[in-house]
Amino acid sequence: MKKKSFLLITMLMLALSMVLAACGGDTKEEGGESGEKSADLPKFISILTGGTGGTYYPLGGSFADIVTDETGIQATAQTTGASAENMTTLKAGDAEVAFSQTDIASYAKEGTAMFEGNAVENVQAIGTLYPETIQIVTTAKTGIKSVEDLKGKKVSIGAPGSGTALNAEQILEAYGIALTDIQKQDLDFAESTEGIQDGTIDAAFITAGTPAGAVESLSATADVVIVPLDQDKIDALMEKYPYYIQDEVTAGTYGLEEAVPTVAVSAMLVVTSDLSEDAVYEITKAIFENLDKVTHAKAKVIDPAKAKEGAGIDIHPGAQKYFDEKGY
């Protein structure tokens, strides 16, 4: 009798557990969005940024935290050589999301400039973020006050293959200066400002949102000078290279007494085309709706309503779905 009672209780418990499991499954299906979220989202993604002294790295770290918290995708920000390297890494399938300059993303997609014969076809845009100001950085003690003064000096044009290096070459060209006219150094932003501080180099090109961390660090110990671009050269650059816009490093940045005229490109986020529509939708929504959690000053100028402007490459369907929902 005891055996029969025990067997009956066991069978009832098993039946109850099966009913509860079925109900739980139905509840998840009826939950709609939460059920769909878990279906198509990857477990992990990498966000390619840039050097630690630039703007991509701190923003990328904040974006990774936001994506992890808001979507459940474990996002990790990685330091890199920035735009050109990032595009190559996406082509190889070794990451999913990356920061890039708009000009470099266009070159990559078209297979031009440094991507000649090596087009990156598997990328689409989430959207543009903010102006990336081209800053020619030096200090008062070098005596460098103009682009012409760079001739014969030790000048870092940025990490090898970076967008900054191409910007530097184009600006120098506008002034009739070849790379052979300077003592070219290929350093990332942090290495560049450390070199200026140590006196091992004289100046550096830095393409980054202002204030750039590496330049801020330099300004704590030295009188930073940002070399201005002449208006006729700015006009010539914008006419020859449509992705350039007129910009300035505002007074007060790095302790500057006056605003310094220059040009800028735009920073953008790109993704691999094979990342699902659901995943890119959730990533896009998470970032653009939680910018208040980003402490870097550049977050204040990021406007999702303008994110499609100047992207230069196709918008990923997942990002487009978000923009359509918001009416952008």
Side-chain angles (χ1 to χ4, degrees):
M1 188 68 179
K2 286 183 179 179
K3 283 185 178 181
K4 287 184 178 180
S5 298
F6 178 77
L7 182 60
L8 180 61
I9 292 170
T10 302
M11 292 176 68
L12 286 171
M13 290 179 66
L14 180 60
L16 179 61
S17 66
M18 291 175 69
V19 170
L20 289 173
C23 290
D26 290 342
T27 302
K28 187 174 181 180
E29 291 289 335
E30 291 170 3
E33 187 179 350
S34 62
E36 292 170 9
K37 265 190 184 182
S38 60
D40 285 335
L41 301 191
K43 292 183 179 179
F44 306 97
I45 62 168
S46 294
I47 302 177
L48 306 176
T49 62
T52 56
T55 307
Y56 290 172
Y57 181 70
L59 276 182
S62 294
F63 288 177
D65 290 341
I66 288 169
V67 169
T68 299
D69 292 343
E70 296 295 321
T71 71
I73 301 169
Q74 294 299 307
T76 305
Q78 296 183 8
T79 59
T80 70
S83 300
E85 179 183 319
N86 290 354
M87 300 303 290
T88 301
T89 303
L90 290 182
K91 179 178 182 177
D94 294 332
E96 295 76 29
V97 183
F99 283 78
S100 176
Q101 294 175 198
T102 48
D103 53 337
I104 302 304
S106 294
Y107 292 148
K109 192 77 174 180
E110 296 165 359
T112 57
M114 72 277 281
F115 296 97
E116 188 74 45
N118 191 32
V120 181
E121 299 176 350
N122 65 325
V123 293
Q124 292 175 300
I126 283 181
T128 58
L129 300 172
Y130 58 86
E132 287 204 272
T133 309
I134 299 170
Q135 305 156 67
I136 306 175
V137 182
T138 186
T139 60
K141 69 178 182 181
T142 66
I144 296 172
K145 297 179 180 179
S146 67
V147 175
E148 291 90 347
D149 291 339
L150 297 176
K151 287 185 178 180
K153 299 294 195 302
K154 292 181 179 178
V155 181
S156 171
I157 65 167
S162 66
T164 301
L166 193 58
N167 299 146
E169 189 171 355
Q170 291 167 347
I171 289 171
L172 291 172
E173 180 186 52
Y175 280 84
I177 301 173
L179 292 179
T180 52
D181 294 328
I182 62 172
Q183 298 182 55
K184 181 175 73 73
Q185 311 291 310
D186 303 296
L187 308 174
D188 67 24
F189 297 161
E191 292 169 336
S192 293
T193 52
E194 287 169 8
I196 294 172
Q197 184 174 4
D198 296 341
T200 54
I201 67 171
D202 302 301
F205 282 80
I206 291 181
T207 301
T210 57
V215 187
E216 279 195 306
S217 296
L218 177 63
S219 69
T221 59
D223 294 327
V224 165
V225 171
I226 305 296
V227 179
L229 299 187
D230 299 300
Q231 188 60 50
D232 62 327
K233 299 300 190 294
I234 291 174
D235 293 340
L237 284 163
M238 291 193 298
E239 183 176 353
K240 187 171 183 179
Y241 306 105
Y243 43 76
Y244 279 128
I245 58 174
Q246 182 150 356
D247 199 11
E248 67 178 18
V249 182
T250 58
T253 307
Y254 314 132
L256 298 175
E257 294 182 359
E258 297 179 352
V260 179
T262 184
V263 291
V265 291
S266 291
M268 69 186 300
L269 279 178
V270 295
V271 294
T272 53
S273 304
D274 58 0
L275 203 56
S276 74
E277 181 176 323
D278 285 347
V280 178
Y281 170 82
E282 296 296 341
I283 291 167
T284 305
K285 180 178 181 180
I287 290 172
F288 284 134
E289 296 191 355
N290 290 277
L291 291 170
D292 58 321
K293 297 178 182 178
V294 181
T295 57
H296 194 283
K298 270 295 173 249
K300 294 181 176 61
V301 301
I302 297 174
D303 183 356
K306 298 179 179 179
K308 294 191 294 182
E309 296 177 7
I313 63 175
D314 292 339
I315 303 294
H316 190 285
Q320 186 64 54
K321 177 182 176 182
Y322 173 75
F323 297 138
D324 288 345
E325 280 186 4
K326 303 297 288 187
Y328 298 151

